[in-house]
PDB file of all heavy atoms in Angstrom:
ATOM      1  N   ALA A   1     187.427  86.146  44.405  1.00  0.00           N
ATOM      2  CA  ALA A   1     188.575  86.744  45.036  1.00  0.00           C
ATOM      3  C   ALA A   1     188.851  88.155  44.551  1.00  0.00           C
ATOM      4  O   ALA A   1     189.709  88.850  45.137  1.00  0.00           O
ATOM      5  CB  ALA A   1     189.817  85.892  44.821  1.00  0.00           C
ATOM      6  N   LYS A   2     188.158  88.604  43.519  1.00  0.00           N
ATOM      7  CA  LYS A   2     188.436  89.897  42.917  1.00  0.00           C
ATOM      8  C   LYS A   2     187.276  90.863  42.906  1.00  0.00           C
ATOM      9  O   LYS A   2     187.478  92.080  42.929  1.00  0.00           O
ATOM     10  CB  LYS A   2     188.972  89.725  41.509  1.00  0.00           C
ATOM     11  CG  LYS A   2     190.327  89.037  41.420  1.00  0.00           C
ATOM     12  CD  LYS A   2     190.904  89.012  40.050  1.00  0.00           C
ATOM     13  CE  LYS A   2     192.291  88.334  40.007  1.00  0.00           C
ATOM     14  NZ  LYS A   2     192.875  88.363  38.695  1.00  0.00           N
ATOM     15  N   SER A   3     186.085  90.399  42.837  1.00  0.00           N
ATOM     16  CA  SER A   3     184.963  91.329  42.694  1.00  0.00           C
ATOM     17  C   SER A   3     183.627  90.670  42.959  1.00  0.00           C
ATOM     18  O   SER A   3     183.530  89.423  43.078  1.00  0.00           O
ATOM     19  CB  SER A   3     184.973  91.942  41.305  1.00  0.00           C
ATOM     20  OG  SER A   3     184.720  90.906  40.339  1.00  0.00           O
ATOM     21  N   LEU A   4     182.600  91.496  43.088  1.00  0.00           N
ATOM     22  CA  LEU A   4     181.220  91.034  43.119  1.00  0.00           C
ATOM     23  C   LEU A   4     180.727  90.878  41.693  1.00  0.00           C
ATOM     24  O   LEU A   4     180.959  91.776  40.855  1.00  0.00           O
ATOM     25  CB  LEU A   4     180.333  92.010  43.880  1.00  0.00           C
ATOM     26  CG  LEU A   4     180.476  92.111  45.373  1.00  0.00           C
ATOM     27  CD1 LEU A   4     179.579  93.176  45.948  1.00  0.00           C
ATOM     28  CD2 LEU A   4     180.123  90.765  46.023  1.00  0.00           C
ATOM     29  N   VAL A   5     180.052  89.803  41.411  1.00  0.00           N
ATOM     30  CA  VAL A   5     179.558  89.544  40.052  1.00  0.00           C
ATOM     31  C   VAL A   5     178.102  89.113  40.148  1.00  0.00           C
ATOM     32  O   VAL A   5     177.734  88.324  40.971  1.00  0.00           O
ATOM     33  CB  VAL A   5     180.382  88.433  39.385  1.00  0.00           C
ATOM     34  CG1 VAL A   5     179.848  88.100  37.994  1.00  0.00           C
ATOM     35  CG2 VAL A   5     181.848  88.837  39.283  1.00  0.00           C
ATOM     36  N   GLU A   6     177.270  89.727  39.268  1.00  0.00           N
ATOM     37  CA  GLU A   6     175.869  89.283  39.176  1.00  0.00           C
ATOM     38  C   GLU A   6     175.787  88.222  38.142  1.00  0.00           C
ATOM     39  O   GLU A   6     176.247  88.321  37.033  1.00  0.00           O
ATOM     40  CB  GLU A   6     175.003  90.477  38.775  1.00  0.00           C
ATOM     41  CG  GLU A   6     174.910  91.575  39.822  1.00  0.00           C
ATOM     42  CD  GLU A   6     174.061  92.781  39.381  1.00  0.00           C
ATOM     43  OE1 GLU A   6     173.928  92.948  38.138  1.00  0.00           O
ATOM     44  OE2 GLU A   6     173.538  93.486  40.230  1.00  0.00           O
ATOM     45  N   LEU A   7     175.104  87.087  38.549  1.00  0.00           N
ATOM     46  CA  LEU A   7     174.956  85.971  37.620  1.00  0.00           C
ATOM     47  C   LEU A   7     173.580  86.056  36.978  1.00  0.00           C
ATOM     48  O   LEU A   7     172.554  86.101  37.663  1.00  0.00           O
ATOM     49  CB  LEU A   7     175.062  84.640  38.386  1.00  0.00           C
ATOM     50  CG  LEU A   7     176.403  84.252  38.914  1.00  0.00           C
ATOM     51  CD1 LEU A   7     176.351  82.835  39.512  1.00  0.00           C
ATOM     52  CD2 LEU A   7     177.495  84.328  37.829  1.00  0.00           C
ATOM     53  N   PRO A   8     173.536  86.080  35.613  1.00  0.00           N
ATOM     54  CA  PRO A   8     172.270  86.095  34.929  1.00  0.00           C
ATOM     55  C   PRO A   8     171.670  84.694  34.743  1.00  0.00           C
ATOM     56  O   PRO A   8     172.430  83.703  34.726  1.00  0.00           O
ATOM     57  CB  PRO A   8     172.644  86.698  33.552  1.00  0.00           C
ATOM     58  CG  PRO A   8     174.060  86.211  33.333  1.00  0.00           C
ATOM     59  CD  PRO A   8     174.702  86.201  34.701  1.00  0.00           C
ATOM     60  N   SER A   9     170.387  84.610  34.638  1.00  0.00           N
ATOM     61  CA  SER A   9     169.758  83.297  34.457  1.00  0.00           C
ATOM     62  C   SER A   9     170.028  82.790  33.006  1.00  0.00           C
ATOM     63  O   SER A   9     169.886  83.535  32.046  1.00  0.00           O
ATOM     64  CB  SER A   9     168.249  83.420  34.624  1.00  0.00           C
ATOM     65  OG  SER A   9     167.594  82.250  34.251  1.00  0.00           O
ATOM     66  N   PRO A  10     170.411  81.533  32.892  1.00  0.00           N
ATOM     67  CA  PRO A  10     170.626  80.943  31.570  1.00  0.00           C
ATOM     68  C   PRO A  10     169.304  80.374  30.986  1.00  0.00           C
ATOM     69  O   PRO A  10     169.340  79.885  29.879  1.00  0.00           O
ATOM     70  CB  PRO A  10     171.646  79.856  31.847  1.00  0.00           C
ATOM     71  CG  PRO A  10     171.307  79.390  33.217  1.00  0.00           C
ATOM     72  CD  PRO A  10     170.833  80.591  33.980  1.00  0.00           C
ATOM     73  N   TYR A  11     168.266  80.422  31.766  1.00  0.00           N
ATOM     74  CA  TYR A  11     166.997  79.793  31.330  1.00  0.00           C
ATOM     75  C   TYR A  11     165.839  80.799  31.521  1.00  0.00           C
ATOM     76  O   TYR A  11     165.887  81.697  32.367  1.00  0.00           O
ATOM     77  CB  TYR A  11     166.664  78.507  32.130  1.00  0.00           C
ATOM     78  CG  TYR A  11     167.676  77.441  31.998  1.00  0.00           C
ATOM     79  CD1 TYR A  11     168.641  77.229  32.997  1.00  0.00           C
ATOM     80  CD2 TYR A  11     167.695  76.582  30.928  1.00  0.00           C
ATOM     81  CE1 TYR A  11     169.588  76.209  32.882  1.00  0.00           C
ATOM     82  CE2 TYR A  11     168.604  75.567  30.766  1.00  0.00           C
ATOM     83  CZ  TYR A  11     169.594  75.399  31.791  1.00  0.00           C
ATOM     84  OH  TYR A  11     170.509  74.393  31.696  1.00  0.00           O
ATOM     85  N   ALA A  12     164.817  80.558  30.761  1.00  0.00           N
ATOM     86  CA  ALA A  12     163.529  81.212  30.968  1.00  0.00           C
ATOM     87  C   ALA A  12     162.585  80.168  31.593  1.00  0.00           C
ATOM     88  O   ALA A  12     162.446  79.088  31.074  1.00  0.00           O
ATOM     89  CB  ALA A  12     162.935  81.745  29.653  1.00  0.00           C
ATOM     90  N   GLY A  13     161.986  80.519  32.713  1.00  0.00           N
ATOM     91  CA  GLY A  13     161.110  79.554  33.344  1.00  0.00           C
ATOM     92  C   GLY A  13     160.796  79.950  34.797  1.00  0.00           C
ATOM     93  O   GLY A  13     160.784  81.131  35.136  1.00  0.00           O
ATOM     94  N   VAL A  14     160.582  78.957  35.646  1.00  0.00           N
ATOM     95  CA  VAL A  14     160.273  79.157  37.045  1.00  0.00           C
ATOM     96  C   VAL A  14     161.404  78.639  37.935  1.00  0.00           C
ATOM     97  O   VAL A  14     161.946  77.551  37.692  1.00  0.00           O
ATOM     98  CB  VAL A  14     158.966  78.481  37.405  1.00  0.00           C
ATOM     99  CG1 VAL A  14     158.657  78.642  38.911  1.00  0.00           C
ATOM    100  CG2 VAL A  14     157.786  79.028  36.566  1.00  0.00           C
ATOM    101  N   VAL A  15     161.753  79.424  38.926  1.00  0.00           N
ATOM    102  CA  VAL A  15     162.824  79.023  39.851  1.00  0.00           C
ATOM    103  C   VAL A  15     162.325  77.813  40.662  1.00  0.00           C
ATOM    104  O   VAL A  15     161.206  77.845  41.282  1.00  0.00           O
ATOM    105  CB  VAL A  15     163.217  80.148  40.798  1.00  0.00           C
ATOM    106  CG1 VAL A  15     164.201  79.666  41.867  1.00  0.00           C
ATOM    107  CG2 VAL A  15     163.788  81.327  40.012  1.00  0.00           C
ATOM    108  N   GLY A  16     163.112  76.736  40.679  1.00  0.00           N
ATOM    109  CA  GLY A  16     162.755  75.557  41.432  1.00  0.00           C
ATOM    110  C   GLY A  16     163.315  75.574  42.824  1.00  0.00           C
ATOM    111  O   GLY A  16     162.606  75.958  43.798  1.00  0.00           O
ATOM    112  N   GLU A  17     164.573  75.283  42.971  1.00  0.00           N
ATOM    113  CA  GLU A  17     165.213  75.175  44.292  1.00  0.00           C
ATOM    114  C   GLU A  17     166.505  75.905  44.313  1.00  0.00           C
ATOM    115  O   GLU A  17     167.299  75.891  43.354  1.00  0.00           O
ATOM    116  CB  GLU A  17     165.436  73.682  44.625  1.00  0.00           C
ATOM    117  CG  GLU A  17     166.017  73.475  46.008  1.00  0.00           C
ATOM    118  CD  GLU A  17     166.234  71.960  46.285  1.00  0.00           C
ATOM    119  OE1 GLU A  17     165.951  71.146  45.383  1.00  0.00           O
ATOM    120  OE2 GLU A  17     166.707  71.650  47.387  1.00  0.00           O
ATOM    121  N   LEU A  18     166.817  76.610  45.429  1.00  0.00           N
ATOM    122  CA  LEU A  18     168.117  77.218  45.627  1.00  0.00           C
ATOM    123  C   LEU A  18     168.988  76.182  46.354  1.00  0.00           C
ATOM    124  O   LEU A  18     168.692  75.777  47.472  1.00  0.00           O
ATOM    125  CB  LEU A  18     167.984  78.474  46.494  1.00  0.00           C
ATOM    126  CG  LEU A  18     166.958  79.557  46.006  1.00  0.00           C
ATOM    127  CD1 LEU A  18     167.033  80.761  46.914  1.00  0.00           C
ATOM    128  CD2 LEU A  18     167.257  79.955  44.560  1.00  0.00           C
ATOM    129  N   LEU A  19     170.067  75.790  45.700  1.00  0.00           N
ATOM    130  CA  LEU A  19     170.880  74.647  46.171  1.00  0.00           C
ATOM    131  C   LEU A  19     172.054  75.080  47.051  1.00  0.00           C
ATOM    132  O   LEU A  19     172.762  74.219  47.609  1.00  0.00           O
ATOM    133  CB  LEU A  19     171.406  73.842  45.000  1.00  0.00           C
ATOM    134  CG  LEU A  19     170.341  73.314  44.003  1.00  0.00           C
ATOM    135  CD1 LEU A  19     170.985  72.607  42.848  1.00  0.00           C
ATOM    136  CD2 LEU A  19     169.375  72.386  44.748  1.00  0.00           C
ATOM    137  N   ALA A  20     172.286  76.367  47.165  1.00  0.00           N
ATOM    138  CA  ALA A  20     173.405  76.854  48.016  1.00  0.00           C
ATOM    139  C   ALA A  20     172.897  78.030  48.829  1.00  0.00           C
ATOM    140  O   ALA A  20     172.310  78.942  48.301  1.00  0.00           O
ATOM    141  CB  ALA A  20     174.590  77.274  47.168  1.00  0.00           C
ATOM    142  N   ALA A  21     173.203  78.031  50.122  1.00  0.00           N
ATOM    143  CA  ALA A  21     172.728  79.099  50.987  1.00  0.00           C
ATOM    144  C   ALA A  21     173.658  80.301  50.869  1.00  0.00           C
ATOM    145  O   ALA A  21     174.805  80.208  50.497  1.00  0.00           O
ATOM    146  CB  ALA A  21     172.731  78.591  52.454  1.00  0.00           C
ATOM    147  N   GLU A  22     173.073  81.500  51.181  1.00  0.00           N
ATOM    148  CA  GLU A  22     173.887  82.701  51.179  1.00  0.00           C
ATOM    149  C   GLU A  22     175.013  82.578  52.237  1.00  0.00           C
ATOM    150  O   GLU A  22     174.806  82.044  53.321  1.00  0.00           O
ATOM    151  CB  GLU A  22     173.005  83.931  51.523  1.00  0.00           C
ATOM    152  CG  GLU A  22     171.990  84.233  50.431  1.00  0.00           C
ATOM    153  CD  GLU A  22     171.166  85.474  50.781  1.00  0.00           C
ATOM    154  OE1 GLU A  22     171.285  85.961  51.923  1.00  0.00           O
ATOM    155  OE2 GLU A  22     170.398  85.921  49.904  1.00  0.00           O
ATOM    156  N   GLY A  23     176.189  83.052  51.829  1.00  0.00           N
ATOM    157  CA  GLY A  23     177.326  82.978  52.762  1.00  0.00           C
ATOM    158  C   GLY A  23     178.168  81.715  52.608  1.00  0.00           C
ATOM    159  O   GLY A  23     179.226  81.639  53.226  1.00  0.00           O
ATOM    160  N   THR A  24     177.760  80.803  51.775  1.00  0.00           N
ATOM    161  CA  THR A  24     178.515  79.567  51.562  1.00  0.00           C
ATOM    162  C   THR A  24     179.421  79.723  50.367  1.00  0.00           C
ATOM    163  O   THR A  24     179.087  80.452  49.410  1.00  0.00           O
ATOM    164  CB  THR A  24     177.607  78.355  51.364  1.00  0.00           C
ATOM    165  OG1 THR A  24     176.755  78.564  50.232  1.00  0.00           O
ATOM    166  CG2 THR A  24     176.752  78.103  52.595  1.00  0.00           C
ATOM    167  N   THR A  25     180.561  79.086  50.377  1.00  0.00           N
ATOM    168  CA  THR A  25     181.518  79.047  49.262  1.00  0.00           C
ATOM    169  C   THR A  25     181.352  77.741  48.500  1.00  0.00           C
ATOM    170  O   THR A  25     181.376  76.697  49.112  1.00  0.00           O
ATOM    171  CB  THR A  25     182.943  79.242  49.777  1.00  0.00           C
ATOM    172  OG1 THR A  25     183.071  80.496  50.467  1.00  0.00           O
ATOM    173  CG2 THR A  25     183.950  79.214  48.631  1.00  0.00           C
ATOM    174  N   VAL A  26     181.186  77.871  47.189  1.00  0.00           N
ATOM    175  CA  VAL A  26     181.006  76.661  46.379  1.00  0.00           C
ATOM    176  C   VAL A  26     182.034  76.661  45.241  1.00  0.00           C
ATOM    177  O   VAL A  26     182.536  77.723  44.829  1.00  0.00           O
ATOM    178  CB  VAL A  26     179.556  76.639  45.769  1.00  0.00           C
ATOM    179  CG1 VAL A  26     178.547  76.508  46.875  1.00  0.00           C
ATOM    180  CG2 VAL A  26     179.276  77.857  44.900  1.00  0.00           C
ATOM    181  N   GLU A  27     182.353  75.513  44.741  1.00  0.00           N
ATOM    182  CA  GLU A  27     183.300  75.351  43.687  1.00  0.00           C
ATOM    183  C   GLU A  27     182.638  75.555  42.315  1.00  0.00           C
ATOM    184  O   GLU A  27     181.464  75.285  42.127  1.00  0.00           O
ATOM    185  CB  GLU A  27     183.968  73.972  43.741  1.00  0.00           C
ATOM    186  CG  GLU A  27     184.798  73.735  45.015  1.00  0.00           C
ATOM    187  CD  GLU A  27     185.485  72.388  44.974  1.00  0.00           C
ATOM    188  OE1 GLU A  27     185.233  71.604  44.037  1.00  0.00           O
ATOM    189  OE2 GLU A  27     186.283  72.121  45.892  1.00  0.00           O
ATOM    190  N   VAL A  28     183.453  76.010  41.396  1.00  0.00           N
ATOM    191  CA  VAL A  28     182.982  76.181  39.985  1.00  0.00           C
ATOM    192  C   VAL A  28     182.499  74.815  39.488  1.00  0.00           C
ATOM    193  O   VAL A  28     183.154  73.800  39.682  1.00  0.00           O
ATOM    194  CB  VAL A  28     184.092  76.729  39.097  1.00  0.00           C
ATOM    195  CG1 VAL A  28     183.720  76.626  37.630  1.00  0.00           C
ATOM    196  CG2 VAL A  28     184.416  78.187  39.440  1.00  0.00           C
ATOM    197  N   GLY A  29     181.355  74.784  38.846  1.00  0.00           N
ATOM    198  CA  GLY A  29     180.772  73.562  38.334  1.00  0.00           C
ATOM    199  C   GLY A  29     179.766  72.918  39.270  1.00  0.00           C
ATOM    200  O   GLY A  29     179.140  71.908  38.913  1.00  0.00           O
ATOM    201  N   THR A  30     179.606  73.474  40.463  1.00  0.00           N
ATOM    202  CA  THR A  30     178.629  72.933  41.420  1.00  0.00           C
ATOM    203  C   THR A  30     177.238  73.512  41.156  1.00  0.00           C
ATOM    204  O   THR A  30     177.099  74.711  40.983  1.00  0.00           O
ATOM    205  CB  THR A  30     179.014  73.340  42.872  1.00  0.00           C
ATOM    206  OG1 THR A  30     180.350  72.828  43.143  1.00  0.00           O
ATOM    207  CG2 THR A  30     178.037  72.774  43.865  1.00  0.00           C
ATOM    208  N   PRO A  31     176.201  72.667  41.074  1.00  0.00           N
ATOM    209  CA  PRO A  31     174.847  73.166  40.869  1.00  0.00           C
ATOM    210  C   PRO A  31     174.447  74.096  42.037  1.00  0.00           C
ATOM    211  O   PRO A  31     174.649  73.754  43.212  1.00  0.00           O
ATOM    212  CB  PRO A  31     173.992  71.908  40.868  1.00  0.00           C
ATOM    213  CG  PRO A  31     174.932  70.806  40.462  1.00  0.00           C
ATOM    214  CD  PRO A  31     176.228  71.187  41.111  1.00  0.00           C
ATOM    215  N   ILE A  32     173.867  75.286  41.686  1.00  0.00           N
ATOM    216  CA  ILE A  32     173.502  76.216  42.680  1.00  0.00           C
ATOM    217  C   ILE A  32     172.003  76.558  42.663  1.00  0.00           C
ATOM    218  O   ILE A  32     171.454  77.076  43.654  1.00  0.00           O
ATOM    219  CB  ILE A  32     174.293  77.523  42.603  1.00  0.00           C
ATOM    220  CG1 ILE A  32     174.093  78.177  41.229  1.00  0.00           C
ATOM    221  CG2 ILE A  32     175.762  77.252  42.905  1.00  0.00           C
ATOM    222  CD1 ILE A  32     174.786  79.548  41.114  1.00  0.00           C
ATOM    223  N   ILE A  33     171.322  76.260  41.546  1.00  0.00           N
ATOM    224  CA  ILE A  33     169.916  76.592  41.476  1.00  0.00           C
ATOM    225  C   ILE A  33     169.270  75.698  40.364  1.00  0.00           C
ATOM    226  O   ILE A  33     169.951  75.317  39.413  1.00  0.00           O
ATOM    227  CB  ILE A  33     169.712  78.105  41.109  1.00  0.00           C
ATOM    228  CG1 ILE A  33     168.224  78.462  41.136  1.00  0.00           C
ATOM    229  CG2 ILE A  33     170.361  78.460  39.798  1.00  0.00           C
ATOM    230  CD1 ILE A  33     167.993  79.962  40.934  1.00  0.00           C
ATOM    231  N   THR A  34     168.000  75.403  40.524  1.00  0.00           N
ATOM    232  CA  THR A  34     167.295  74.647  39.488  1.00  0.00           C
ATOM    233  C   THR A  34     166.175  75.506  38.883  1.00  0.00           C
ATOM    234  O   THR A  34     165.628  76.410  39.561  1.00  0.00           O
ATOM    235  CB  THR A  34     166.681  73.343  40.038  1.00  0.00           C
ATOM    236  OG1 THR A  34     165.685  73.690  41.010  1.00  0.00           O
ATOM    237  CG2 THR A  34     167.763  72.460  40.688  1.00  0.00           C
ATOM    238  N   PHE A  35     165.863  75.229  37.651  1.00  0.00           N
ATOM    239  CA  PHE A  35     164.769  75.922  36.947  1.00  0.00           C
ATOM    240  C   PHE A  35     163.802  74.930  36.383  1.00  0.00           C
ATOM    241  O   PHE A  35     164.181  73.821  35.944  1.00  0.00           O
ATOM    242  CB  PHE A  35     165.330  76.754  35.795  1.00  0.00           C
ATOM    243  CG  PHE A  35     166.239  77.885  36.230  1.00  0.00           C
ATOM    244  CD1 PHE A  35     167.606  77.675  36.312  1.00  0.00           C
ATOM    245  CD2 PHE A  35     165.727  79.102  36.558  1.00  0.00           C
ATOM    246  CE1 PHE A  35     168.460  78.677  36.711  1.00  0.00           C
ATOM    247  CE2 PHE A  35     166.601  80.150  36.959  1.00  0.00           C
ATOM    248  CZ  PHE A  35     167.927  79.946  37.013  1.00  0.00           C
ATOM    249  N   LEU A  36     162.523  75.270  36.373  1.00  0.00           N
ATOM    250  CA  LEU A  36     161.495  74.470  35.717  1.00  0.00           C
ATOM    251  C   LEU A  36     161.187  75.169  34.383  1.00  0.00           C
ATOM    252  O   LEU A  36     160.774  76.313  34.373  1.00  0.00           O
ATOM    253  CB  LEU A  36     160.240  74.387  36.563  1.00  0.00           C
ATOM    254  CG  LEU A  36     160.451  73.775  37.964  1.00  0.00           C
ATOM    255  CD1 LEU A  36     159.140  73.801  38.764  1.00  0.00           C
ATOM    256  CD2 LEU A  36     160.981  72.361  37.912  1.00  0.00           C
ATOM    257  N   THR A  37     161.442  74.475  33.258  1.00  0.00           N
ATOM    258  CA  THR A  37     161.297  75.103  31.982  1.00  0.00           C
ATOM    259  C   THR A  37     160.346  74.323  31.111  1.00  0.00           C
ATOM    260  O   THR A  37     160.143  73.104  31.279  1.00  0.00           O
ATOM    261  CB  THR A  37     162.645  75.184  31.248  1.00  0.00           C
ATOM    262  OG1 THR A  37     163.186  73.883  31.014  1.00  0.00           O
ATOM    263  CG2 THR A  37     163.677  75.953  32.061  1.00  0.00           C
ATOM    264  N   GLU A  38     159.757  75.009  30.129  1.00  0.00           N
ATOM    265  CA  GLU A  38     158.868  74.375  29.169  1.00  0.00           C
ATOM    266  C   GLU A  38     159.669  74.031  27.903  1.00  0.00           C
ATOM    267  O   GLU A  38     160.398  74.897  27.391  1.00  0.00           O
ATOM    268  CB  GLU A  38     157.736  75.339  28.795  1.00  0.00           C
ATOM    269  CG  GLU A  38     156.707  75.560  29.897  1.00  0.00           C
ATOM    270  CD  GLU A  38     155.754  74.393  30.026  1.00  0.00           C
ATOM    271  OE1 GLU A  38     155.856  73.451  29.230  1.00  0.00           O
ATOM    272  OE2 GLU A  38     154.911  74.437  30.921  1.00  0.00           O
ATOM    273  N   PRO A  39     159.602  72.818  27.383  1.00  0.00           N
ATOM    274  CA  PRO A  39     160.257  72.472  26.158  1.00  0.00           C
ATOM    275  C   PRO A  39     159.736  73.321  25.024  1.00  0.00           C
ATOM    276  O   PRO A  39     158.564  73.706  25.016  1.00  0.00           O
ATOM    277  CB  PRO A  39     159.931  70.996  25.937  1.00  0.00           C
ATOM    278  CG  PRO A  39     159.522  70.484  27.291  1.00  0.00           C
ATOM    279  CD  PRO A  39     158.857  71.656  27.954  1.00  0.00           C
ATOM    280  N   ALA A  40     160.625  73.670  24.068  1.00  0.00           N
ATOM    281  CA  ALA A  40     160.186  74.413  22.928  1.00  0.00           C
ATOM    282  C   ALA A  40     159.227  73.588  22.116  1.00  0.00           C
ATOM    283  O   ALA A  40     159.223  72.349  22.125  1.00  0.00           O
ATOM    284  CB  ALA A  40     161.414  74.825  22.044  1.00  0.00           C
ATOM    285  N   ALA A  41     158.300  74.258  21.365  1.00  0.00           N
ATOM    286  CA  ALA A  41     157.287  73.548  20.579  1.00  0.00           C
ATOM    287  C   ALA A  41     157.931  72.543  19.668  1.00  0.00           C
ATOM    288  O   ALA A  41     158.822  72.896  18.852  1.00  0.00           O
ATOM    289  CB  ALA A  41     156.471  74.564  19.788  1.00  0.00           C
ATOM    290  N   GLY A  42     157.472  71.284  19.764  1.00  0.00           N
ATOM    291  CA  GLY A  42     157.990  70.225  18.905  1.00  0.00           C
ATOM    292  C   GLY A  42     159.334  69.683  19.308  1.00  0.00           C
ATOM    293  O   GLY A  42     159.893  68.826  18.641  1.00  0.00           O
ATOM    294  N   ALA A  43     159.876  70.178  20.390  1.00  0.00           N
ATOM    295  CA  ALA A  43     161.181  69.722  20.831  1.00  0.00           C
ATOM    296  C   ALA A  43     161.039  68.867  22.082  1.00  0.00           C
ATOM    297  O   ALA A  43     160.189  69.130  22.935  1.00  0.00           O
ATOM    298  CB  ALA A  43     162.092  70.915  21.176  1.00  0.00           C
ATOM    299  N   PRO A  44     161.823  67.786  22.186  1.00  0.00           N
ATOM    300  CA  PRO A  44     161.684  66.896  23.331  1.00  0.00           C
ATOM    301  C   PRO A  44     162.316  67.427  24.597  1.00  0.00           C
ATOM    302  O   PRO A  44     162.062  66.903  25.668  1.00  0.00           O
ATOM    303  CB  PRO A  44     162.401  65.605  22.852  1.00  0.00           C
ATOM    304  CG  PRO A  44     163.454  66.147  21.914  1.00  0.00           C
ATOM    305  CD  PRO A  44     162.787  67.311  21.215  1.00  0.00           C
ATOM    306  N   ALA A  45     163.188  68.425  24.510  1.00  0.00           N
ATOM    307  CA  ALA A  45     163.888  68.898  25.699  1.00  0.00           C
ATOM    308  C   ALA A  45     163.897  70.396  25.732  1.00  0.00           C
ATOM    309  O   ALA A  45     163.578  71.065  24.785  1.00  0.00           O
ATOM    310  CB  ALA A  45     165.333  68.351  25.673  1.00  0.00           C
ATOM    311  N   ALA A  46     164.273  70.911  26.916  1.00  0.00           N
ATOM    312  CA  ALA A  46     164.304  72.357  27.072  1.00  0.00           C
ATOM    313  C   ALA A  46     165.381  72.935  26.209  1.00  0.00           C
ATOM    314  O   ALA A  46     166.383  72.286  25.863  1.00  0.00           O
ATOM    315  CB  ALA A  46     164.591  72.687  28.534  1.00  0.00           C
ATOM    316  N   PRO A  47     165.243  74.257  25.830  1.00  0.00           N
ATOM    317  CA  PRO A  47     166.280  74.870  24.989  1.00  0.00           C
ATOM    318  C   PRO A  47     167.601  74.929  25.687  1.00  0.00           C
ATOM    319  O   PRO A  47     167.686  74.903  26.927  1.00  0.00           O
ATOM    320  CB  PRO A  47     165.706  76.279  24.752  1.00  0.00           C
ATOM    321  CG  PRO A  47     164.671  76.459  25.798  1.00  0.00           C
ATOM    322  CD  PRO A  47     164.172  75.117  26.116  1.00  0.00           C
TER     323      PRO A  47
END
């Protein structure tokens, strides 16, 4: 409601799926994109 904001990626990896189309309004907390990430060495899950 106040400005345009660029969202930075919180992950390093490959873009999986875009979950919201351009022009749609979504609520805070709604998934909007997925990433495919590699787990850190020796770690069971992504960083």
Side-chain angles (χ1 to χ4, degrees):
K2 295 186 177 181
S3 63
L4 286 177
V5 178
E6 293 180 336
L7 291 186
S9 171
Y11 299 100
V14 177
V15 175
E17 183 181 0
L18 306 183
L19 303 177
E22 292 181 354
T24 60
T25 299
V26 297
E27 295 183 354
V28 168
T30 301
I32 58 174
I33 186 175
T34 65
F35 296 92
L36 303 177
T37 62
E38 289 283 357

